[in-house]
Amino acid sequence: MHPACSTSNSPSEVSLLHTQPTNDPSLVKSAAGTCSTLSNNHIVLDACGVASIGHGDETVKFAIQEQLKSVAYAHPIMHTTTAPKELADILLRGTAPQGLSKAYFVSSGSDAIEAAMKLVVAFHRATGNPHRTHFVSRKRSYHGNTIGAMCLSDNPGRKMPYEEAFDRLDVSFVSPAYAYRYKGSDETEIQYAARLVNEVEAEFCRIGRQNVAAFVAETVGGSTAGCIEAPRGYFEGVRRVCDKYGALLLLDETMCGNGRTGSYFAFETEGAVHPDIVVMGKGLSGGYLPLAATLINKKIHETVEMAGGFIHGHAYQAHPVSCASALAVQRVIRSKGFLDHCRRQGDRLGTELRATFAGLEFVGDIRGRGLFWAIEFVADKRLKIPLAKEFAFGTRLRQFAHDSGVAILSGSGTADGLAGDHILLAPPLTITEAELDWMIGALRQAYLRTEEAYKKQRTFQ
C-alpha cells in the first residue's frame, strides 16, 4: 500500500523556469516500477500517461547504455545509426497496418505535428495543388504547444495568451465526437456519426474542395476533453469524405497510441480506416528519453521524394540514444504481452470506475478504452451543467489525489472550452490488479475531499 503522507513543494529554484511559478512541482528523488518517490519519501503512483512500461526497466537502461558506448549522436543530415532504422522497422513492418511506410523521428508530439503539417503542404504542392493549405480540425482538441500545432487545437486556456499569433494559419473547426454532450437523445450511434461526418463534408464544401489540405483529429480525445471516443462509423465516414475531396487524413495518437487503448494504434478498432499520417509520442519511448514520430503512407513519401524531398529538419532528429530507448520499450511491450494485459486491466478499470464513481453526486460521465479513462464532473447530472469554474474541481481533485499517492491529469473547460472539469487516468501498461484497486480507492478518497470542499465553499457564498 502506498503511503498517503502529505506532500511538500521542492525548495525554491531561482534559476529554473516553471510554467506555474506560484506552484513549484514536487521534487522526485527516485522512480521504479509504477511509482515515483518524492524528496519527502512520499510515494506516488504515476498515472499520467507517459511511463508506458513503468520506471527503471532494466532492458531499457541496458539499451541506452549500449547505445552510448557506440554512438551518442549523429548529425541527421549526413549520418544515421542502427537504432532509428530498427525502430522504424518495428513500428512499420511489425505493427503498422494500412500502408504506413515511413517514420520520421523528432523530440516531441508538437514537433511531430509540425512535421506532419509540413508534409501535408509539401504533398499537395508536389501534386500541383499549392492552394491546398486549409486544415479542418475539431473543437475540444489539442495537438501541441508550438505555433502550428496550437493553431490546430481548440484549447482556449492555452491559446488565449498568444492568440494574435494564431491568425496566420488557415484552420477551421467542426464539432467534436463527444457523445456525452452532443449526441441527441433521439439519435442512434449511427445517426450521430452520420451527422458529424455530414458536418465535415459541409465544412469542406464551405472552404472549397480545392482548398482543403487535411482533416486532423485525435483518434481518442486526450487531455482537452478527456478520452472522448468517436461513434461507430465516424472515422470510416471521414475517410470517405477526405478521399472524395482529395484531402489527407491526419490522426494524432500522441496520447492514445502506443498500446494505450489496448490496440497498438487506436485507429485499428475504428473499422476500415486508412490514415495518411499518424503522429505518435509520449509512450513511444516510455518517458526514458524524449521521442515522437510522424508516420506517413507510401503515397505521401513517394510524391514528396520525387519533388525533391522533405525540406525540414532538427538537430536532434532521429537521435540515436532516444531511438534506442524507444526500440527497447517497443520490444518490452511486445515480448511481455502488455497489449493483452492492457485490454484486460482496462476492462477491469472501466468496470470498477463505474461501480465506484457513477453514483456520486457530481460525476457526470465515465468514459475510456484500455488504460485511458476520464471522469467528467457536473453540477447537475440531468442537465449536465458544469460546476463553478472558479472552484476548479478537477484541479482540486488532482491535488488531493497527489496527496493520497496518485499522480493523474486534470482538465478544465471540458464542456465548451471555458467551463467544465474532468480528470484523466493513464497508468503504466504494466499496472497490476492490486495497484489498480489501490489507485481507484485513492481517487475515491480524493473525490470525497473535493466534494466536501466544494459544498463547503458553496454554503458560504
Side-chain angles (χ1 to χ4, degrees):
M1 184 175 188
H2 302 304
C5 54
S6 62
T7 60
S8 62
N9 288 335
S10 60
S12 178
E13 296 155 336
V14 176
S15 301
L16 181 60
L17 174 66
H18 294 302
T19 55
Q20 296 176 311
T22 58
N23 184 24
D24 286 353
S26 300
L27 182 64
V28 176
K29 70 175 183 180
S30 65
T34 58
C35 296
S36 300
T37 301
L38 308 184
S39 58
N40 60 1
N41 295 321
H42 182 51
I43 298 175
V44 180
L45 189 147
D46 184 346
C48 294
V50 176
S52 54
I53 63 168
H55 301 278
D57 184 272
E58 292 299 328
T59 300
V60 181
K61 290 196 294 186
F62 178 78
I64 292 172
Q65 291 165 356
E66 289 300 296
Q67 183 62 51
L68 286 170
K69 289 178 183 177
S70 57
V71 183
Y73 175 75
H75 198 286
I77 293 178
M78 295 171 284
H79 303 126
T80 188
T81 55
T82 301
K85 287 185 172 184
E86 292 185 356
L87 178 58
D89 282 347
I90 201 171
L91 292 176
L92 297 168
R93 297 180 185 177
T95 305
Q98 282 86 26
L100 296 170
S101 65
K102 295 289 181 179
Y104 182 83
F105 296 116
V106 288
S107 298
S108 73
S110 299
D111 293 338
I113 284 287
E114 295 283 340
M117 294 172 71
K118 285 187 175 181
L119 278 162
V120 167
V121 173
F123 170 80
H124 288 304
R125 181 175 292 275
T127 57
N129 296 288
H131 44 274
R132 283 190 179 270
T133 57
H134 188 96
F135 290 82
V136 177
S137 186
R138 301 191 301 186
K139 299 175 183 176
R140 313 309 313 116
S141 63
Y142 181 67
H143 297 286
N145 253 327
T146 50
I147 294 293
M150 190 62 82
C151 285
L152 293 181
S153 306
D154 176 49
N155 190 310
R158 296 193 182 194
K159 292 179 75 168
M160 200 173 299
Y162 316 105
E163 58 187 349
E164 292 83 0
F166 297 129
D167 297 332
R168 295 169 175 78
L169 194 65
D170 203 6
V171 180
S172 59
F173 296 88
V174 294
S175 297
Y178 190 177
Y180 174 65
R181 291 203 168 270
Y182 299 114
K183 177 177 172 292
S185 58
D186 58 344
E187 278 185 312
T188 66
E189 183 180 14
I190 297 299
Q191 289 170 334
Y192 178 48
R195 177 163 63 86
L196 291 172
V197 171
N198 289 339
E199 182 184 347
V200 172
E201 183 165 14
E203 181 65 8
F204 279 29
C205 292
R206 186 187 74 83
I207 298 303
R209 61 183 300 164
Q210 74 281 3
N211 297 321
V212 179
F215 179 76
V216 186
E218 296 164 284
T219 313
V220 178
S223 57
T224 293
C227 300
I228 52 175
E229 290 192 88
R232 184 160 42 97
Y234 170 80
F235 278 110
E236 291 177 307
V238 167
R239 175 73 270 181
R240 289 193 296 271
V241 171
C242 288
D243 289 341
K244 179 178 178 181
Y245 294 95
L248 299 179
L249 177 59
L250 195 173
L251 295 183
D252 184 348
E253 299 206 351
T254 302
M255 288 195 75
C256 65
N258 305 292
R260 171 60 55 193
T261 61
S263 57
Y264 191 77
F265 293 95
F267 72 80
E268 291 179 72
T269 60
E270 299 293 341
V273 180
H274 308 273
D276 299 294
I277 305 177
V278 177
V279 170
M280 309 176 74
K282 296 192 186 299
L284 178 62
S285 64
Y288 286 87
L289 284 167
L291 194 73
T294 304
L295 309 180
I296 63 175
N297 65 15
K298 186 177 181 180
K299 174 180 68 175
I300 295 175
H301 160 244
E302 290 183 345
T303 301
V304 171
E305 189 174 71
M306 287 182 65
F310 183 33
I311 311 303
H312 184 63
H314 294 274
Y316 290 103
Q317 173 188 327
H319 191 277
V321 188
S322 292
C323 288
S325 71
L327 179 60
V329 168
Q330 300 309 307
R331 286 172 173 165
V332 168
I333 288 174
R334 288 155 179 76
S335 66
K336 296 190 177 180
F338 283 141
L339 291 183
D340 289 338
H341 182 76
C342 176
R343 285 191 290 271
R344 290 193 302 270
Q345 294 296 347
D347 290 344
R348 191 169 184 276
L349 176 57
T351 298
E352 294 301 319
L353 285 175
R354 292 187 174 105
T356 303
F357 288 92
L360 298 176
E361 183 175 352
F362 298 128
V363 173
D365 191 35
I366 301 168
R367 53 184 177 255
R369 188 199 306 174
L371 289 170
F372 195 50
W373 286 81
I375 303 176
E376 182 172 347
F377 304 102
V378 293
D380 185 299
K381 290 193 176 191
R382 184 177 66 85
L383 299 176
K384 303 177 184 177
I385 298 172
L387 292 153
K389 177 183 175 182
E390 296 74 20
F391 183 78
F393 196 96
T395 301
R396 293 277 191 101
L397 201 157
R398 172 174 58 80
Q399 293 166 346
F400 286 142
H402 196 267
D403 292 346
S404 296
V406 183
I408 59 173
L409 301 176
S410 63
S412 59
T414 312
D416 58 9
L418 299 174
D421 295 272
H422 71 271
I423 58 171
L424 189 149
L425 320 173
L429 308 184
T430 59
I431 194 167
T432 65
E433 286 190 8
E435 289 172 326
L436 211 60
D437 291 342
W438 184 89
M439 180 183 75
I440 293 169
L443 290 173
R444 187 177 189 278
Q445 180 185 20
Y447 168 86
L448 293 175
R449 288 182 66 188
T450 312
E451 180 186 286
E452 180 183 9
Y454 183 78
K455 288 181 175 179
K456 185 179 294 185
Q457 178 170 306
R458 190 172 57 179
T459 299
F460 288 103
Q461 288 178 337

